[in-house]
Amino acid sequence: MVALSLSRRLRRTPFSEGVEAAGVKAYTVYNHMLLPTVFRTVEEDYRHLKEAVQVWDVSCERQVELRGPDAGRLMQMLTPRDLRGMLPGQCYYVPIVDETGGMLNDPVAVKLSEDRFWISIADSDLLYWVKGIVQGYRLDVLVDEPDVSPLAVQGPKAEDLVAAVFGEGVRSVRFFRFGVFQFQGRDLVVARSGFSKQGGFEIYVEGSDIGMPLWNALFEAGAAMDVHAGCPNLIERIEGGLLSYGNDMTDDNTPHECGLGRFCNTQTAIGCMGRDALLRVAKEGPVQQIRPIAIDGAPVPPCDGWWKIKAGKRVVGRVSSVAWSPDYNTNVAIGMVRMTHWDPGTTVVVEAPDGLREAEVLESFWH
Ligand code: THG
């Protein structure tokens, strides 16, 4: 076990004090910020997430704020998803692509008003790409990182907990919509979303000073619900097919390779920087794609890099995320598989660090 040396570059969060008091066991670094990965064990955290309710410090989902008359135009330049129907109060999962159609990020876009968006980013420095576009096209829009830190409440009892703190009104917030609710006299955006398939909310905590007061209020209100500090759970997110930018895909992959074609409307997303490139590749279709993969044998060791997927001597893909699933009694994995081997039921061999294993490409994720 090694330690992380903290400094100004590796940012703490408004909730770090609570996270530490709750006994965080491990962190990763995400958008230059601390992101907890384990509280009890990954398996115990997984079980508790599926049965109770957890509060997650996901401050590392930093916001790129777009504000001004050209905010909507700029937002559409960033993504091949058609945003014309997007209304204030809605959140959209949006692939962000560069001029080659390569994935730069896969954030949640939050439309606050016609001229104001938050882009709740995954782990890449999207701010600089966005600022470059603004300067290059002389757009009338301000781009910056506001003091907004998401706090997720996830699990089957999440709605009861969020209602106890913000009021019954949160129960009528629909999936990927948000409402504005008060906490200690401050207006906060509360969305029904989050990086798990167990349901829940994300509170966009505006103002670091109310971070710990809100954290404490959630733990007081949730005492009878067995609330616990948690974090995005490796096993649960693989079962659910939730992708991790930088692990499961990079800027070498198109949204279609990532299985994000359902979030693209490339024909009608006029203005998207990667539109021409994506229209060109769309003609042929992707030659590799993300697939759920079940890997045989005992629980796998941790995965800190890609594992080759082979058919005989040929490399036909890579595994990028994998964990033992107690509920499905197999190793669940996310991999990028070439089209010759991507049909459900295809058996392949995975080069795990502890040896070769048989694996099967599946039709759908496990949730
Ligand atoms: N919430 C917020 N910001 C985020 C994340 C989040 N930023 C970083 C990271 N997560 C971005 N990546 C994702 C990936 C998947 C989803 C959200 C953000 C997600 N997907 C659902 C699914 O695939 O089932 C629903 C998508 C939909 O139907 O629109 O939620 O989690 N604020």
Side-chain angles (χ1 to χ4, degrees):
M1 192 70 188
V2 293
L4 273 174
S5 300
L6 297 179
S7 72
R8 149 124 240 297
R9 289 183 300 99
L10 207 182
R11 300 176 285 181
R12 288 166 59 81
T13 84
F15 317 107
S16 288
E17 193 188 315
V19 163
E20 285 158 13
V24 64
K25 295 250 174 62
Y27 284 115
T28 186
V29 178
Y30 193 104
N31 286 325
H32 316 276
M33 203 172 233
L34 290 171
L35 170 62
T37 55
V38 187
F39 280 88
R40 291 183 272 211
T41 64
V42 175
E43 287 75 17
E44 285 175 282
D45 292 352
Y46 162 86
R47 178 60 47 223
H48 178 266
L49 169 62
K50 288 188 167 189
E51 285 170 359
V53 56
Q54 297 182 344
V55 177
W56 295 2
D57 175 2
V58 283
S59 302
C60 66
E61 297 168 354
R62 301 313 295 164
Q63 308 305 303
V64 174
E65 177 166 325
L66 315 182
R67 192 159 32 102
D70 286 335
R73 179 180 167 207
L74 173 57
M75 192 67 237
Q76 186 65 82
M77 290 171 85
L78 300 173
T79 181
R81 186 163 176 182
D82 189 333
L83 303 179
R84 285 176 302 175
M86 188 181 191
L87 302 169
Q90 288 187 319
C91 309
Y92 273 17
Y93 182 39
V94 285
I96 304 280
V97 297
D98 66 14
E99 76 289 355
T100 72
M103 292 284 296
L104 291 181
N105 207 290
D106 68 326
V108 176
V110 180
K111 185 165 183 176
L112 298 161
S113 64
E114 284 306 330
D115 60 2
R116 189 164 172 235
F117 291 79
W118 282 337
I119 310 175
S120 185
I121 62 172
D123 187 21
S124 77
D125 293 314
L126 192 67
L127 185 71
Y128 306 135
W129 169 253
V130 177
K131 278 182 174 281
I133 292 171
V134 169
Q135 295 308 310
Y137 285 81
R138 299 176 186 279
L139 300 182
D140 188 0
V141 56
L142 289 168
V143 178
D144 68 359
E145 185 187 300
D147 179 15
V148 172
S149 297
L151 188 63
V153 183
Q154 299 286 297
K157 298 179 192 165
E159 188 178 296
D160 289 339
L161 177 51
V162 175
V165 172
F166 288 93
E168 294 298 307
V170 299
R171 297 189 191 275
S172 54
V173 174
R174 288 150 63 194
F175 186 62
F176 267 60
R177 303 285 174 116
F178 71 83
V180 176
F181 296 89
Q182 285 216 330
F183 177 75
Q184 294 189 347
R186 304 263 280 272
D187 283 339
L188 297 181
V189 168
V190 179
R192 193 184 288 273
S193 57
F195 203 60
S196 87
K197 287 287 188 179
Q198 305 311 307
F201 293 82
E202 291 180 303
I203 305 152
Y204 290 80
V205 181
E206 203 170 351
S208 293
D209 58 306
I210 53 164
M212 280 314 298
L214 176 60
W215 176 278
N216 291 329
L218 286 163
F219 280 86
E220 272 161 42
M225 302 171 200
D226 187 29
V227 66
H228 202 275
C231 49
N233 182 273
L234 180 70
I235 310 167
E236 198 271 348
R237 81 137 180 108
I238 296 172
E239 287 178 358
L242 294 171
L243 304 182
S244 167
Y245 186 78
N247 288 320
D248 301 318
M249 74 285 209
T250 72
D251 60 1
D252 283 336
N253 302 119
T254 64
H256 303 280
E257 290 178 343
C258 303
L260 300 179
R262 66 187 187 284
F263 300 109
C264 298
N265 322 89
T266 312
Q267 285 290 345
T268 60
I270 311 295
C272 167
M273 307 286 307
R275 185 165 171 268
D276 292 347
L278 285 177
L279 286 173
R280 245 179 281 125
V281 298
K283 275 200 195 122
E284 324 240 301
V287 298
Q288 56 177 359
Q289 205 167 46
I290 284 191
R291 285 287 183 274
I293 298 164
I295 302 178
D296 288 355
V300 285
C303 177
D304 61 1
W306 292 335
W307 297 353
K308 285 178 186 155
I309 301 177
K310 294 181 113 174
K313 285 199 163 65
R314 263 193 326 140
V315 176
V316 297
R318 55 159 147 101
V319 163
S320 47
S321 298
V322 58
W324 173 260
S325 163
D327 283 357
Y328 295 95
N329 216 28
T330 186
N331 294 294
V332 294
I334 298 174
M336 186 71 76
V337 185
R338 296 196 67 79
M339 70 189 298
T340 49
H341 291 77
W342 73 21
D343 287 340
T346 307
T347 54
V348 289
V349 169
V350 170
E351 263 186 35
D354 60 355
L356 301 180
R357 290 169 185 248
E358 291 247 305
E360 183 181 346
V361 177
L362 303 182
E363 171 86 40
S364 56
F365 284 92
W366 288 266
H367 58 275

